[in-house]
Amino acid sequence: MKHYLVIGKGEAFTSFVQALNGDSQPAFFGRNPGAYSSIAGETGEAIRRFLPVSFDESYRDQDSLLVYHSVYIFPDEWSEGRDFIALFRQLGTCRIFVMTHEHRHVTLYKCLGANHVIISKQGYTGYGWLAAQIRG
């Protein structure tokens, strides 16, 4: 089983969270970037949790990020996406997926090291496919 990390903020990330949890959302949700972590346990059961995340904390605690096979980034702002892509590219341990509706940033995300950039229309809320993939 793979280890996934999904980081984001904004409308698209909210859609992903709702696909996972329905109306139940973490208390910190909406104010700050959040992350959803899914790590396979030794018994085959996944350890899943939501947590607040910041680039500064992630940069200081890089060792904890080395376990992930795939990271999905839902940037709400160009600078957030840029910083997280650069961090995960530097670690070199996972595939980086960027989920965006900003066509103008696709080339920049790819140049920074994103393996895949998935573009959706503004207001797209169909991230159930990602939730299903991560649930396994």
Side-chain angles (χ1 to χ4, degrees):
M1 181 180 248
K2 290 187 176 186
H3 303 337
Y4 297 98
L5 182 65
V6 183
I7 297 173
K9 181 179 171 184
E11 185 179 350
F13 185 67
T14 299
S15 172
F16 166 75
V17 170
Q18 289 172 340
L20 281 172
N21 280 4
D23 292 333
S24 174
Q25 295 181 355
F28 66 85
F29 194 72
R31 295 184 302 274
N32 302 306
Y36 173 77
S37 170
S38 177
I39 298 176
E42 291 182 25
T43 62
E45 291 292 318
I47 300 167
R48 297 180 172 110
R49 62 190 177 122
F50 282 102
L51 56 152
V53 66
S54 76
F55 175 76
D56 293 338
E57 290 173 11
S58 298
Y59 189 80
R60 284 191 299 270
D61 192 21
Q62 293 179 27
D63 290 343
S64 68
L65 302 174
L66 296 173
V67 300
Y68 296 103
H69 299 113
S70 298
V71 62
Y72 292 83
I73 302 170
F74 286 83
D76 194 37
E77 300 172 8
W78 158 245
S79 59
E80 284 176 359
R82 176 196 65 212
D83 293 344
F84 278 112
I85 292 168
L87 173 61
F88 284 102
R89 183 65 176 171
Q90 176 184 326
L91 294 174
T93 58
C94 63
R95 297 188 59 77
I96 303 166
F97 297 82
V98 177
M99 319 297 271
T100 185
H101 60 268
E102 295 288 342
H103 294 285
R104 66 180 184 224
H105 295 155
V106 171
T107 302
L108 298 171
Y109 290 140
K110 294 289 273 182
C111 288
L112 284 170
N115 299 100
H116 302 281
V117 178
I118 300 169
I119 305 165
S120 61
K121 292 181 180 179
Q122 183 77 25
Y124 177 74
T125 59
Y127 292 100
W129 64 268
L130 179 57
Q133 176 181 327
I134 290 173
R135 278 191 210 120

